[in-house]
Amino acid sequence: MTKRQLAGSRILITGGGSGLGRQMGVQAAQRGAHIIIWDRDRDAAERVRDEIIAAGGTAESHVVDITEVAVVNRVAERSGVVDVLINNAGIVAGKHLLDATENDIRRTYEVNALALYWVTSAILPGMIERRKGAVVTVASAAGLLGVAQQTDYSATKFAAVGFTESLRAELRALGHPIETLTVCPFFIDTGMFEGAQTKFPWLLPVLKEANVARQILDSIERGRLTLVLPVFARVLPLARLLPVRWFDGLADFLGVNKTMDHFVGRKPSAD
């Protein structure tokens, strides 16, 4: 396990203009990192940049649509050296399959899955050249367990988990000393999953944004490979040893497939 100090590092955060991205940026700046904010929303990105600078940190912001390869490559050059890439941007539609439009589904895949390839491919060569760096992917507990009303979202988060696991294997096979971290949190109180509920909050609580950000940054510094939150969610891989019907029954008992019944969310945007 490699130890890493964020102080002095240059950290790029996609979707850094709000929610968990903003919180990670603010906290990482407090640890002495220079923050590079990528977001589609210019005003949001600049607000976080200015907030960090006003608090004594250093930051820059860039307007980026991470689904556009040419834009990603162009802004990656302007962003310069990146020591830690945090693939954080994500959206959720929260609709049943038959209610989801073609645009809903395509947009979810473009932001949550395909953008991982475009952004990482733009940033990774510099890390390989310098023989150091870390790629962090914020997936979801929904990337470990399929959830009703998340046929698109959950599938993209399964893709995110597989992407990072395969990337880790590839880097290891090629002898590149680049670290990876996969983050799989339950619902976070960022507003992205507004209205989502949990049957057993003592087992599967709605997570606090600031606490999740802190644990992610701690995990980067400690060189961890995975971070699953809360602790109870870590039993999901073990639960898959059960017969499928038992596994499904456990998920139903835990109320997992009712969590989205009262989902409201907010207008989908890179978060």
Side-chain angles (χ1 to χ4, degrees):
M1 182 178 291
T2 304
K3 298 289 186 178
R4 163 186 297 277
Q5 291 297 318
L6 294 183
S9 295
R10 292 173 58 86
I11 301 179
L12 191 160
I13 306 172
T14 65
S18 63
L20 181 62
R22 170 195 162 274
Q23 189 64 236
M24 287 190 289
V26 169
Q27 291 192 29
Q30 292 171 349
R31 300 186 187 205
H34 175 78
I35 309 304
I36 306 166
I37 301 160
W38 280 17
D39 204 286
R40 289 184 68 198
D41 186 330
R42 180 186 301 274
D43 291 340
E46 291 180 351
R47 278 196 300 271
V48 178
R49 179 200 64 194
D50 293 346
E51 177 184 1
I52 290 171
I53 293 173
T58 64
E60 61 191 83
S61 62
H62 301 273
V63 179
V64 188
D65 182 343
I66 58 173
T67 69
E68 297 289 341
V69 179
V71 173
V72 167
N73 289 335
R74 183 172 65 250
V75 180
E77 289 187 9
R78 292 211 310 264
S79 297
V81 171
V82 174
D83 299 302
V84 179
L85 165 63
I86 303 181
N87 287 308
N88 167 74
I91 59 172
V92 59
K95 298 178 181 179
H96 292 103
L97 174 61
L98 298 183
D99 294 328
T101 66
E102 177 184 350
N103 184 64
D104 288 332
I105 295 168
R106 288 187 182 278
R107 184 64 181 165
T108 301
Y109 271 85
E110 287 172 354
V111 175
N112 294 2
L114 293 178
L116 298 176
Y117 294 84
W118 317 146
V119 176
T120 305
S121 294
I123 300 301
L124 187 59
M127 293 182 177
I128 292 173
E129 183 179 350
R130 295 187 304 278
R131 293 190 60 78
K132 64 177 182 178
V135 177
V136 181
T137 302
V138 179
S140 168
L144 305 174
L145 168 70
V147 180
Q149 285 182 243
Q150 292 187 16
T151 54
D152 54 348
Y153 179 81
S154 185
T156 61
K157 293 304 183 178
F158 267 85
V161 171
F163 167 80
T164 314
E165 184 172 309
S166 296
L167 177 63
R168 184 174 75 243
E170 186 172 297
L171 292 168
R172 189 171 66 251
L174 293 172
H176 299 313
I178 311 303
E179 303 162 36
T180 64
L181 169 64
T182 308
V183 183
C184 295
F186 189 57
F187 298 130
I188 308 173
D189 64 352
T190 61
M192 183 174 173
F193 279 93
E194 187 68 32
Q197 298 177 340
T198 176
K199 182 178 179 181
F200 297 110
W202 53 280
L203 276 180
L204 293 169
V206 175
L207 304 169
K208 299 297 183 183
E209 177 184 282
N211 186 49
V212 174
R214 178 185 59 77
Q215 292 195 61
I216 292 173
L217 298 179
D218 286 348
S219 295
I220 295 170
E221 290 193 322
R222 294 170 185 167
R224 294 184 60 175
L225 300 178
T226 61
L227 174 64
V228 180
L229 300 169
V231 173
F232 182 75
R234 299 174 192 173
V235 308
L236 289 174
L238 294 176
R240 287 198 175 277
L241 297 174
L242 297 170
V244 174
R245 292 188 187 279
W246 292 14
F247 180 79
D248 289 350
L250 175 62
D252 290 344
F253 171 74
L254 292 172
V256 170
N257 294 308
K258 296 292 186 182
T259 56
M260 299 289 286
D261 283 0
H262 302 287
F263 170 78
V264 177
R266 59 184 177 224
K267 184 177 180 181
S269 61
D271 183 35

